[in-house]
Each structure stands twice: as C-alpha cells, then as structure tokens.
Amino acid sequence: MADQTHVLFVEDDDVIREATQLALERDGFAVTAMPDGLSGLEAFRADRPDIALLDVMVPGLDGVSLCRRIRDESTVPVIMLSARADSIDVVLGLEAGADDYVTKPFDGAVLVARIRAVLRRFGHAGGGDRGDAGSAADTGGVLVFGELEVDTEGMEVRRAGRPVALTPTEMRLLLEFSSAPGTVLSRDKLLERVWDYGWGGDTRVVDVHVQRLRTKIGQDRIETVRGFGYKLKA
C-alpha cells in the first residue's frame, strides 16, 4: 500500500461501495471503504489517506459534516459524491471544504479521471511557472497586493503580516489570480487551470472557492466582473 494512492471511500449503499472499491482497486488504488461517517472519520484518523471520497447522505455523521471534521484536521483533498447535480448538498459540501464533487450515478472512468485530476494539482500546488506578476510588487518570489503577501516559492500567504491557512486548491486559485492582477479570469478558464478540467464543469465549484478565498484574504481583494468572471485587485 505504501506505493499506492490510498483512497478513503465512505458510502452506505453496499452495492455502490463494493463495486466502486473494486473498480478503484483495478486502477491501482488502495481503498479503505466505510459504510458511515463515524467509521469513516475513525479510518481517516487511523490511516491518513491521500484522498477522501465522501457520499453526502451517509448515516451517523453525514458527508458534509465529515468533510468539515476532516478539513479541521487536514488539507487532504476531498471529493463529494451527490445523487443530484442541482442539490443544495453540492454547495454545502464545497462550502465545508470539499475540492470537487461527482454526481451519482457516475461512470467509473470519470471518477478515476477526477481523482487523478485532483491528485495532480495537489501534487503540484505551485502550478509551475506563473510568469510575470504585472503591477504587483515582487521581491524574492513574494508578491504584494496591499496588505496581502503571496510567497510563490514557499507557498505561504500572509495578510497584514499574519499567516493565512489555505487549502492546496485555494492556493492554486490565488496563484492564478496573483499571476495576472487586474486581469479578468473567466470561470471556465479557472476550471481548466485550477481544477484541470479538460471538459465543461460546474462553475459553482469556482464560485464557492472564490467566496472561501475571499473570507481569508479579504472580501474586497477579488472583484466580481459580472458576466465575465473574477479579477484580483492589484
């Protein structure tokens, strides 16, 4: 298991849980599958998996609450599984700290692709060369936007001198904005660059993460350009 990506999968439906576990194991993942949120939390704390797949509707401790508990302890990537694409549970899961979601029923190949996309961006949180930082002050890899400092080499953020804790997804999102301050980035472009979507995705993922980022770096730092997207104020 040491050389395999370890997936924690929490799903109360026996058929879905067993079939998905087998499919993931065939693709080379090591899987710990649990039927409820409480056992899932125990497994997370005991095993420290590389990624967590959480069904929204599980007994004991629902998937959204479990996601919050995990996020209180770790920045490990979390993908929520929801039975309905239009469900409020999708937004609640993202607000709780999930990085992405997949709608059930899902194709096994699609799920594997989404897992690998999340893992790729978590494994390369810096996102490579981000190019010129525009009008922002740049000192030794540290970009300064007012009271906000973004250390692009150390992957650290400070606001008014105080450290800001970001998840890897939030960090990648901020790096995209800070690489081009004052430039409007569309939701589709952010889905492509941050979430590694080579296909159309749900822009709610972007909107919720932008809102989460705003609460940490300042509500006015990222501006909404209605009908186009978002931009970072230089």
Side-chain angles (χ1 to χ4, degrees), residues 44-73:
F44 170 78
R45 289 172 171 168
D47 300 336
R48 293 296 172 180
D50 299 302
I51 188 169
L53 303 180
L54 311 178
D55 184 40
V56 170
M57 300 299 293
V58 291
L61 184 69
D62 66 81
V64 173
S65 298
L66 176 55
C67 181
R68 290 195 184 98
R69 298 283 285 274
I70 290 175
R71 193 53 74 227
D72 286 342
E73 303 176 18

Side-chain angles (χ1 to χ4, degrees), residues 138-167:
D138 184 351
T139 307
V142 177
L143 307 178
V144 180
F145 307 92
E147 64 177 12
L148 182 68
E149 299 177 12
V150 182
D151 183 346
T152 61
E153 296 178 0
M155 293 296 106
E156 296 178 349
V157 178
R158 290 177 293 276
R159 181 183 177 191
R162 296 182 178 181
V164 178
L166 300 181
T167 67

Side-chain angles (χ1 to χ4, degrees), residues 102-190:
V102 175
T103 303
K104 297 195 298 184
F106 49 78
D107 181 271
V110 171
L111 179 62
V112 168
R114 297 285 274 274
I115 291 173
R116 287 179 172 158
V118 170
L119 291 171
R120 277 197 301 274
R121 67 176 185 264
F122 271 59
H124 304 280
D129 183 8
R130 293 288 165 180
D132 184 66
S135 61
D138 184 351
T139 307
V142 177
L143 307 178
V144 180
F145 307 92
E147 64 177 12
L148 182 68
E149 299 177 12
V150 182
D151 183 346
T152 61
E153 296 178 0
M155 293 296 106
E156 296 178 349
V157 178
R158 290 177 293 276
R159 181 183 177 191
R162 296 182 178 181
V164 178
L166 300 181
T167 67
T169 299
E170 292 165 351
M171 187 68 194
R172 284 184 65 93
L173 186 60
L174 180 56
L175 287 172
E176 286 298 336
F177 284 123
S178 61
S179 69
T183 300
V184 178
L185 300 177
S186 69
R187 292 170 174 84
D188 288 340
K189 181 61 69 176
L190 291 170

Side-chain angles (χ1 to χ4, degrees), residues 183-205:
T183 300
V184 178
L185 300 177
S186 69
R187 292 170 174 84
D188 288 340
K189 181 61 69 176
L190 291 170
L191 279 172
E192 177 186 343
R193 292 181 176 178
V194 178
W195 280 266
D196 198 17
Y197 278 19
W199 57 90
D202 188 342
T203 57
R204 287 179 297 183
V205 174

Side-chain angles (χ1 to χ4, degrees), residues 5-53:
T5 297
H6 185 189
V7 179
L8 171 64
F9 179 39
V10 182
E11 166 64 63
D12 63 324
D13 186 294
D14 293 341
V15 174
I16 295 176
R17 186 175 64 254
E18 293 171 10
T20 302
Q21 179 176 359
L22 288 173
L24 292 175
E25 288 174 344
R26 281 197 300 268
D27 272 280
F29 296 98
V31 182
T32 297
M34 291 296 173
D36 60 76
L38 290 175
S39 63
L41 181 60
E42 292 177 0
F44 170 78
R45 289 172 171 168
D47 300 336
R48 293 296 172 180
D50 299 302
I51 188 169
L53 303 180

